[in-house]
Amino acid sequence: MGKTIVITGAGAGLGKALALRFAQEGETVVLLGRTLSKVQAVADEIGGNALAVQCDVASADSVRAAFATIARMHPAIDVLINNAGIYEPFTVAEATDRQIDSIIATNLNGPIYCCRAAIPMMGSGGVIINVGSESVAVPFVMLSLYQCSKAGLERFTEALEAELEDSGIRVALVRAGPMHDQGKEAPAWDRDAAMRFHAGCARNGLDLQTRPISHSGSVTGVFRAVIDLPPDVRVSHVSVGARKA
Protein backbone atom coordinates (compact mmCIF):
# COMPACT_ATOMS: atom_id res chain seq x y z
CA MET A 1 0.00 0.00 0.00
CA GLY A 2 1.38 3.43 -0.93
CA LYS A 3 2.51 6.00 1.56
CA THR A 4 1.10 9.48 2.13
CA ILE A 5 4.03 11.90 1.95
CA VAL A 6 3.79 15.58 2.94
CA ILE A 7 6.43 17.87 1.41
CA THR A 8 6.89 21.53 2.27
CA GLY A 9 8.28 23.97 -0.28
CA ALA A 10 6.98 21.69 -3.03
CA GLY A 11 6.35 24.29 -5.72
CA ALA A 12 9.84 24.14 -7.22
CA GLY A 13 13.35 22.80 -6.75
CA LEU A 14 14.01 19.83 -4.52
CA GLY A 15 10.46 19.78 -3.17
CA LYS A 16 9.00 19.51 -6.65
CA ALA A 17 11.55 16.87 -7.67
CA LEU A 18 10.66 14.77 -4.62
CA ALA A 19 6.94 15.10 -5.30
CA LEU A 20 7.33 14.02 -8.92
CA ARG A 21 9.46 11.01 -8.01
CA PHE A 22 7.26 9.75 -5.21
CA ALA A 23 4.08 10.20 -7.25
CA GLN A 24 5.62 8.25 -10.12
CA GLU A 25 6.37 5.47 -7.65
CA GLY A 26 2.73 5.26 -6.59
CA GLU A 27 2.81 7.30 -3.41
CA THR A 28 0.20 9.89 -2.45
CA VAL A 29 1.87 13.29 -2.21
CA VAL A 30 0.66 16.38 -0.37
CA LEU A 31 2.34 19.54 -1.63
CA LEU A 32 2.65 22.51 0.70
CA GLY A 33 3.76 25.97 -0.45
CA ARG A 34 3.27 29.65 0.29
CA THR A 35 1.94 30.28 -3.22
CA LEU A 36 -1.00 27.99 -3.91
CA SER A 37 -0.80 28.44 -7.69
CA LYS A 38 2.73 27.02 -7.73
CA VAL A 39 1.97 23.87 -5.77
CA GLN A 40 -1.34 23.48 -7.59
CA ALA A 41 0.54 23.51 -10.91
CA VAL A 42 2.77 20.69 -9.65
CA ALA A 43 -0.26 18.77 -8.38
CA ASP A 44 -1.97 19.20 -11.76
CA GLU A 45 1.17 17.91 -13.48
CA ILE A 46 1.18 14.84 -11.22
CA GLY A 47 -2.53 14.08 -11.43
CA GLY A 48 -4.66 11.92 -9.16
CA ASN A 49 -2.28 11.15 -6.29
CA ALA A 50 -1.51 14.77 -5.40
CA LEU A 51 -3.07 17.36 -3.12
CA ALA A 52 -1.93 21.00 -3.12
CA VAL A 53 -2.38 23.01 0.08
CA GLN A 54 -1.42 26.63 0.69
CA CYS A 55 0.88 26.90 3.69
CA ASP A 56 3.34 29.49 4.92
CA VAL A 57 5.41 27.39 7.32
CA ALA A 58 6.62 30.55 9.07
CA SER A 59 3.09 31.03 10.42
CA ALA A 60 1.86 28.69 13.13
CA ASP A 61 -1.75 29.45 12.20
CA SER A 62 -1.09 28.70 8.53
CA VAL A 63 0.50 25.37 9.45
CA ARG A 64 -2.43 24.47 11.70
CA ALA A 65 -4.90 25.28 8.93
CA ALA A 66 -2.91 23.33 6.35
CA PHE A 67 -2.72 20.17 8.45
CA ALA A 68 -6.41 20.44 9.27
CA THR A 69 -7.04 20.44 5.52
CA ILE A 70 -4.74 17.46 5.08
CA ALA A 71 -6.51 15.56 7.87
CA ARG A 72 -9.86 15.89 6.13
CA MET A 73 -8.41 14.09 3.08
CA HIS A 74 -5.75 11.93 4.71
CA PRO A 75 -6.34 11.27 8.42
CA ALA A 76 -2.94 9.55 8.67
CA ILE A 77 0.35 10.50 7.06
CA ASP A 78 3.45 8.35 6.73
CA VAL A 79 6.21 10.83 5.87
CA LEU A 80 6.88 14.52 6.46
CA ILE A 81 9.71 16.20 4.55
CA ASN A 82 10.53 19.69 5.85
CA ASN A 83 12.10 21.17 2.75
CA ALA A 84 10.86 24.79 2.67
CA GLY A 85 13.59 27.33 3.32
CA ILE A 86 14.87 30.85 2.64
CA TYR A 87 18.46 31.43 1.52
CA GLU A 88 19.73 34.99 1.16
CA PRO A 89 23.15 36.59 1.77
CA PHE A 90 23.44 39.72 3.89
CA THR A 91 25.56 41.03 6.75
CA VAL A 92 24.08 41.26 10.21
CA ALA A 93 24.75 45.01 10.38
CA GLU A 94 22.75 45.55 7.17
CA ALA A 95 19.97 43.04 7.88
CA THR A 96 16.40 44.24 7.84
CA ASP A 97 13.83 43.05 10.36
CA ARG A 98 12.10 41.17 7.54
CA GLN A 99 15.28 39.30 6.56
CA ILE A 100 16.03 38.25 10.13
CA ASP A 101 12.48 37.28 11.01
CA SER A 102 11.68 35.47 7.76
CA ILE A 103 14.80 33.30 7.71
CA ILE A 104 14.52 32.17 11.32
CA ALA A 105 10.74 31.74 11.09
CA THR A 106 10.84 29.75 7.85
CA ASN A 107 14.01 27.70 8.30
CA LEU A 108 13.71 26.84 12.00
CA ASN A 109 10.26 27.65 13.34
CA GLY A 110 8.62 26.23 10.21
CA PRO A 111 9.91 22.67 10.55
CA ILE A 112 9.07 22.75 14.27
CA TYR A 113 5.49 23.88 13.56
CA CYS A 114 5.10 21.20 10.88
CA CYS A 115 6.50 18.44 13.08
CA ARG A 116 4.15 19.46 15.90
CA ALA A 117 1.19 19.25 13.54
CA ALA A 118 2.27 16.03 11.82
CA ILE A 119 3.27 13.87 14.79
CA PRO A 120 -0.30 13.24 16.02
CA MET A 121 -1.15 12.06 12.49
CA MET A 122 1.75 9.58 12.33
CA GLY A 123 2.13 6.11 13.75
CA SER A 124 4.93 3.62 14.23
CA GLY A 125 6.91 3.43 11.00
CA GLY A 126 6.40 7.09 10.24
CA VAL A 127 9.35 9.14 9.01
CA ILE A 128 10.28 12.80 9.42
CA ILE A 129 13.09 14.17 7.26
CA ASN A 130 14.43 17.67 7.84
CA VAL A 131 16.46 19.23 5.04
CA GLY A 132 19.61 20.87 6.35
CA SER A 133 22.45 22.65 4.61
CA GLU A 134 26.15 22.15 3.97
CA SER A 135 26.57 25.81 4.97
CA VAL A 136 26.86 24.81 8.63
CA ALA A 137 30.26 23.30 7.80
CA VAL A 138 31.43 25.25 4.72
CA PRO A 139 33.06 28.72 4.98
CA PHE A 140 30.42 30.81 3.24
CA VAL A 141 30.18 34.51 4.04
CA MET A 142 27.13 36.70 4.74
CA LEU A 143 25.00 33.67 5.65
CA SER A 144 25.13 33.87 9.45
CA LEU A 145 21.33 33.79 9.90
CA TYR A 146 20.88 30.99 7.36
CA GLN A 147 23.72 28.99 8.91
CA CYS A 148 22.43 29.36 12.47
CA SER A 149 18.89 28.43 11.42
CA LYS A 150 20.16 25.26 9.75
CA ALA A 151 22.48 24.44 12.65
CA GLY A 152 19.50 24.86 14.97
CA LEU A 153 17.49 22.53 12.73
CA GLU A 154 20.21 19.89 13.06
CA ARG A 155 20.11 20.08 16.85
CA PHE A 156 16.31 20.03 16.84
CA THR A 157 16.39 16.91 14.65
CA GLU A 158 18.69 15.12 17.09
CA ALA A 159 16.47 16.00 20.05
CA LEU A 160 13.25 15.05 18.23
CA GLU A 161 14.71 11.71 17.19
CA ALA A 162 15.32 10.85 20.84
CA GLU A 163 11.92 12.20 21.86
CA LEU A 164 10.09 10.00 19.34
CA GLU A 165 12.18 6.87 19.81
CA ASP A 166 9.51 4.95 21.71
CA SER A 167 6.76 5.96 19.26
CA GLY A 168 8.40 4.17 16.36
CA ILE A 169 8.59 7.39 14.31
CA ARG A 170 12.05 7.82 12.78
CA VAL A 171 13.63 11.26 12.38
CA ALA A 172 16.57 12.09 10.13
CA LEU A 173 18.37 15.09 8.71
CA VAL A 174 19.61 15.32 5.14
CA ARG A 175 22.36 17.96 4.94
CA ALA A 176 22.16 19.08 1.32
CA GLY A 177 24.79 20.65 -0.91
CA PRO A 178 24.35 22.88 -3.97
CA MET A 179 21.60 21.90 -6.39
CA HIS A 180 20.22 23.17 -9.67
CA ASP A 181 16.60 23.74 -8.74
CA GLN A 182 14.08 22.50 -11.27
CA GLY A 183 11.65 25.26 -12.21
CA LYS A 184 12.82 27.62 -9.48
CA GLU A 185 13.05 31.31 -10.22
CA ALA A 186 16.34 33.16 -9.70
CA PRO A 187 16.46 34.70 -6.21
CA ALA A 188 15.68 38.39 -5.96
CA TRP A 189 18.85 39.21 -4.04
CA ASP A 190 20.23 42.72 -3.67
CA ARG A 191 22.77 43.04 -6.49
CA ASP A 192 25.51 44.57 -4.34
CA ALA A 193 25.04 41.97 -1.60
CA ALA A 194 25.19 39.17 -4.17
CA MET A 195 28.46 40.50 -5.60
CA ARG A 196 30.02 40.79 -2.14
CA PHE A 197 28.78 37.29 -1.31
CA HIS A 198 30.49 35.77 -4.36
CA ALA A 199 33.68 37.76 -3.78
CA GLY A 200 33.82 36.87 -0.09
CA CYS A 201 33.26 33.17 -0.77
CA ALA A 202 36.06 33.27 -3.37
CA ARG A 203 38.43 34.73 -0.77
CA ASN A 204 37.57 31.76 1.44
CA GLY A 205 38.41 29.34 -1.36
CA LEU A 206 34.85 28.81 -2.63
CA ASP A 207 34.55 29.72 -6.29
CA LEU A 208 30.81 29.57 -6.77
CA GLN A 209 31.17 29.89 -10.55
CA THR A 210 33.16 26.66 -10.94
CA ARG A 211 32.01 24.68 -7.88
CA PRO A 212 30.14 21.47 -8.84
CA ILE A 213 26.36 21.57 -8.57
CA SER A 214 23.96 18.65 -8.80
CA HIS A 215 20.47 18.51 -10.26
CA SER A 216 17.70 18.49 -7.67
CA GLY A 217 16.27 15.33 -9.22
CA SER A 218 19.57 13.52 -8.74
CA VAL A 219 19.37 13.50 -4.95
CA THR A 220 15.82 12.22 -4.55
CA GLY A 221 17.07 8.65 -4.24
CA VAL A 222 18.70 9.56 -0.93
CA PHE A 223 15.30 10.48 0.49
CA ARG A 224 13.78 7.31 -0.94
CA ALA A 225 16.46 5.24 0.77
CA VAL A 226 15.92 6.94 4.14
CA ILE A 227 12.15 6.40 3.93
CA ASP A 228 12.54 2.74 3.00
CA LEU A 229 14.99 1.76 5.73
CA PRO A 230 14.05 -1.35 7.72
CA PRO A 231 12.50 -0.53 11.10
CA ASP A 232 15.56 -1.81 12.96
CA VAL A 233 17.97 0.55 11.18
CA ARG A 234 18.79 4.08 12.32
CA VAL A 235 20.17 6.75 9.97
CA SER A 236 20.14 10.06 11.78
CA HIS A 237 22.20 12.22 9.45
CA VAL A 238 23.04 12.05 5.75
CA SER A 239 25.25 14.55 3.95
CA VAL A 240 24.66 14.96 0.21
CA GLY A 241 27.03 17.01 -1.91
CA ALA A 242 27.72 17.66 -5.56
CA ARG A 243 30.56 16.30 -7.68
CA LYS A 244 31.70 16.69 -11.24
CA ALA A 245 29.79 14.20 -13.38
Side-chain angles (χ1 to χ4, degrees):
M1 185 175 178
K3 300 180 184 298
T4 298
I5 301 177
V6 178
I7 305 168
T8 71
L14 176 61
K16 178 179 179 179
L18 289 166
L20 292 174
R21 174 178 181 137
F22 293 140
Q24 290 169 356
E25 294 173 344
E27 314 290 16
T28 297
V29 291
V30 180
L31 317 177
L32 303 188
R34 282 185 298 177
T35 305
L36 180 59
S37 61
K38 289 185 178 181
V39 285
Q40 187 61 60
V42 178
D44 292 343
E45 181 179 345
I46 291 171
N49 286 338
L51 171 66
V53 181
Q54 192 280 330
C55 181
D56 179 359
V57 299
S59 164
D61 287 340
S62 182
V63 170
R64 272 190 283 267
F67 277 83
T69 298
I70 294 168
R72 287 194 290 271
M73 299 289 293
H74 304 289
I77 62 176
D78 301 291
V79 180
L80 168 66
I81 301 177
N82 282 309
N83 166 71
I86 295 178
Y87 173 90
E88 181 182 2
F90 52 82
T91 66
V92 172
E94 297 168 338
T96 65
D97 294 348
R98 178 197 61 79
Q99 287 173 316
I100 295 171
D101 293 345
S102 63
I103 284 183
I104 298 300
T106 300
N107 296 358
L108 183 55
N109 295 2
I112 296 171
Y113 292 150
C114 289
C115 287
R116 180 178 65 177
I119 288 167
M121 300 172 64
M122 305 179 84
S124 180
V127 180
I128 296 171
I129 301 177
N130 294 324
V131 179
S133 167
E134 66 168 5
S135 69
V136 301
V138 175
F140 290 101
V141 299
M142 298 174 66
L143 291 180
S144 59
L145 270 293
Y146 181 77
Q147 288 167 312
C148 80
S149 69
K150 290 299 188 178
L153 182 61
E154 292 200 3
R155 186 65 192 93
F156 169 72
T157 302
E158 293 169 1
L160 187 64
E161 180 184 32
E163 184 176 307
L164 296 179
E165 175 73 23
D166 292 342
S167 72
I169 299 172
R170 290 185 290 121
V171 186
L173 181 123
V174 175
R175 184 189 286 180
M179 279 178 265
H180 169 66
D181 289 338
Q182 177 181 344
K184 193 168 186 177
E185 300 172 359
W189 290 349
D190 175 82
R191 181 177 176 82
D192 176 66
M195 291 176 64
R196 286 185 286 137
F197 171 64
H198 281 264
C201 288
R203 287 194 298 272
N204 285 353
L206 298 171
D207 186 344
L208 302 182
Q209 301 298 322
T210 60
R211 200 163 180 253
I213 184 167
S214 61
H215 190 279
S216 55
S218 299
V219 305
T220 58
V222 174
F223 291 79
R224 178 83 265 178
V226 171
I227 291 170
D228 291 344
L229 286 170
D232 61 339
V233 174
R234 177 197 305 273
V235 172
S236 303
H237 182 121
V238 181
S239 292
V240 183
R243 65 186 295 272
K244 293 182 179 179

